[in-house]
Amino acid sequence: MATLKLYGVSTATCTRRVATVLHELKVPFELVEVPYKNGEIKTPEFLKFQPFGQVPYLDDNGFILYESRAICRYVAAKYASSALLPTEHQANALFEQAASIEFANFEPSASKAGLQLYMSKQGQPCDENVVKEQLAVLEKKLEAYELILSRQRYLAGETLTLADLFHLPYAAYVTYGGSDIMTRRPNVARWFNELISRPAWLAYQDGVKTTTVY
Amino acid sequence: MTLKLYGRLQSTNTQRVILILKEKKIPYELVEVEFGQNNQPERLQFQPFAEIPYIDDDGFILYESRAIARYLVAAYPEHGPTLVPPPSVGVKAQALFEQALSVEAFNFYPTVSSILMERLLKPFIGQTPDEAEIATLTEKLDTRLAGYERVLSKSKYLAGDEVTLADLFHIPLLTLFGLGQIDAFTNDEKVKKWPSVARWANELVQRGSVQS
């Protein structure tokens, strides 16, 4: 049985999202760095694996899967000893609610602001208007997060789930780019600081890399 | 106690839930929340983002239309079509279903809803649509639809040969393509580029649960 292969970009948000979950679950994997700067991921050869021309995708002994959150869910389900994806009826519903909150209420503004702030930190041109506009949107969303997290430890309840971990890449980009938006409110700060200190997140500070021993 | 759905008929997110309730033939009561009334304190305690819809299923409160849909399908497996892979199919088939759901959420919904916001919401609130932005978004949508074609030219639906929630989640926005002047499936030149997607989209909006 060959090791899982994660085809991605070592510095990319979505690749790191998957790597973080693989690390949390102590699943060995090989990172296969995909070249992308010259349109390689738009070629017919690549599109056969990922029809939208995006990274990452997973190759589990010939089983191909894309969409970082779907890959995370697959890995969590396969290694069923993890509580990262609750299965009991109501706990599962609250998990799905939390996962949908991340998709609908965090990712849109955090990714737009985060990407601009990251580029600015890398010395590249950055659109200040987008940053201002999107951080204003995120600010309002985090008011609701504060309310939720004042009542419970994590987004889906008292245990950590994939829904919390999904936030890491763009929450980190926004913070790395110089905004303190994630630490302005006591409960959001508590939750964010715990996530950002997890060994699984810290492991890939310098980029995602092949991990076969934990 | 009959399931209560708090929302508005004009809201595409509420429509997403109503669609599943109809597909699964689940009795429900729609409690109309007037436009601008989402952030009343008695609602914020249930939906902290001041959004609709949310459900009250005998005291169990749940929000986020896609989460509600999943919950309903799990709660009523014997009603109507299954709409999700049965547990017996195993982790891989389940994963392909999650992949399809993620495609809707990240490769369809954000771009299409942004176009519709420009074309439909802005005029409603007295603003002018940004045509340059619409052009950029349309180009992005076209690239995505090419991706959909690669998938749907090989399988009848997004997760395989059976319709699932992943397909149905697209319907509320698909029904607004006409009003929103999105010509992806009416412009002959475009349809030639993604005939399977056009077939799939047209079939979805013709479903009984949509037409009723």
Side-chain angles (χ1 to χ4, degrees):
Chain A
M1 201 61 149
T3 310
L4 290 189
K5 286 195 168 79
L6 178 63
Y7 287 79
V9 171
S10 58
T11 50
T13 47
C14 299
T15 303
R16 196 165 172 191
R17 182 177 290 114
V18 176
T20 303
V21 170
L22 286 165
H23 197 288
E24 281 281 341
L25 296 172
K26 310 239 178 300
V27 176
F29 70 96
E30 180 192 336
L31 176 77
V32 180
E33 188 86 41
V34 175
Y36 65 94
K37 290 184 178 150
N38 296 309
E40 293 94 332
I41 60 177
K42 312 295 177 190
T43 60
E45 294 71 42
F46 185 86
L47 292 170
K48 275 208 290 273
F49 295 103
Q50 215 290 4
F52 296 90
Q54 296 162 333
V55 284
Y57 71 86
L58 188 80
D59 179 347
D60 181 3
N61 286 275
F63 175 60
I64 306 297
L65 193 67
Y66 54 86
E67 289 297 314
S68 66
R69 294 164 184 80
I71 299 170
C72 291
R73 284 166 174 265
Y74 168 67
V75 173
K78 194 171 172 179
Y79 300 90
S81 56
S82 98
L84 290 182
L85 208 168
T87 50
E88 183 275 321
H89 188 45
Q90 277 193 4
N92 182 264
L94 295 173
F95 161 72
E96 293 296 353
Q97 178 180 272
S100 192
I101 288 170
E102 188 266 330
F103 136 73
N105 286 313
F106 188 81
E107 149 100 10
S109 53
S111 67
K112 291 186 183 106
L115 278 166
Q116 294 299 320
L117 285 167
Y118 178 81
M119 291 201 303
S120 160
K121 204 66 195 260
Q122 301 287 97
Q124 284 163 47
C126 142
D127 190 337
E128 292 290 346
N129 284 330
V130 169
V131 174
K132 197 167 162 215
E133 203 177 79
Q134 296 302 323
L135 285 182
V137 172
L138 186 56
E139 191 76 62
K140 295 214 78 187
K141 300 297 185 182
L142 291 175
E143 274 172 29
Y145 274 73
E146 181 63 19
L147 193 57
I148 297 167
L149 294 166
S150 69
R151 299 196 285 233
Q152 56 197 55
R153 194 162 166 203
Y154 299 99
L155 268 193
E158 292 307 315
T159 29
L160 178 79
T161 66
L162 291 180
D164 305 287
L165 298 174
F166 286 170
H167 290 74
L168 269 164
Y170 288 118
Y173 259 27
V174 158
T175 308
Y176 165 76
S179 167
D180 67 348
I181 203 172
M182 297 304 300
T183 50
R184 275 184 223 150
R185 295 169 173 81
N187 290 288
V188 175
R190 180 226 356 118
W191 168 79
F192 173 67
N193 285 327
E194 188 195 310
L195 290 174
I196 211 96
S197 322
R198 295 185 79 84
W201 175 254
L202 296 171
Y204 304 115
Q205 278 183 127
D206 301 321
V208 176
K209 50 189 194 283
T210 293
T211 311
T212 47
V213 176
Y214 286 96
Chain B
M1 193 192 97
T2 308
L3 186 136
K4 284 198 169 80
L5 171 64
Y6 291 83
R8 266 190 302 282
L9 285 174
Q10 305 81 1
S11 141
T12 53
N13 292 324
T14 304
Q15 288 166 15
R16 187 171 294 106
V17 176
I18 291 177
L19 185 66
I20 304 311
L21 287 164
K22 286 190 171 162
E23 288 275 341
K24 300 293 284 176
K25 304 192 198 326
I26 299 167
Y28 69 98
E29 182 196 330
L30 177 70
V31 180
E32 280 272 343
V33 177
E34 278 171 40
F35 193 75
Q37 297 298 307
N38 298 356
N39 54 359
Q40 299 298 296
E42 62 271 18
R43 301 223 181 278
L44 274 181
Q45 64 171 312
F46 298 124
Q47 218 293 8
F49 294 90
E51 290 166 341
I52 47 120
Y54 63 92
I55 60 165
D56 176 350
D57 186 12
D58 221 356
F60 180 61
I61 307 295
L62 197 67
Y63 53 89
E64 290 296 317
S65 65
R66 293 166 184 76
I68 296 170
R70 288 184 184 240
Y71 169 77
L72 292 172
V73 164
Y76 296 87
E78 70 287 352
H79 288 211
T82 48
L83 302 181
V84 293
S88 54
V89 297
V91 279
K92 286 181 178 165
Q94 191 64 30
L96 293 175
F97 170 59
E98 292 293 348
Q99 176 181 273
L101 286 166
S102 192
V103 163
E104 185 270 327
F106 295 100
N107 278 329
F108 182 83
Y109 182 80
T111 309
V112 175
S113 70
S114 295
I115 297 173
L116 292 174
M117 285 231 258
E118 291 291 333
R119 288 243 182 269
L120 300 179
L121 185 70
K122 275 194 171 174
F124 184 68
I125 57 175
Q127 287 176 25
T128 319
D130 181 342
E131 291 299 332
E133 179 66 10
I134 292 173
T136 308
L137 290 165
T138 303
E139 215 181 292
K140 199 167 180 189
L141 178 61
D142 289 356
T143 310
R144 298 285 156 79
L145 292 176
Y148 272 76
E149 183 63 20
R150 291 179 195 103
V151 176
L152 292 168
S153 59
K154 297 197 200 115
S155 67
K156 197 167 174 209
Y157 296 101
L158 281 177
D161 291 324
E162 301 291 326
V163 72
T164 66
L165 291 180
D167 308 285
L168 299 185
F169 284 173
H170 292 75
I171 292 173
L173 296 196
L174 283 174
T175 61
L176 289 175
F177 270 36
L179 214 61
Q181 298 167 61
I182 301 174
D183 67 352
F185 305 123
T186 48
N187 176 319
D188 289 337
E189 287 310 306
K190 288 198 178 186
V191 171
K192 280 194 191 119
K193 293 194 281 185
W194 40 75
S196 309
V197 190
R199 183 255 318 144
W200 165 86
N202 286 323
E203 202 187 283
L204 283 174
V205 300
Q206 294 298 318
R207 286 180 80 85
S209 53
V210 182
Q211 297 298 315
S212 63

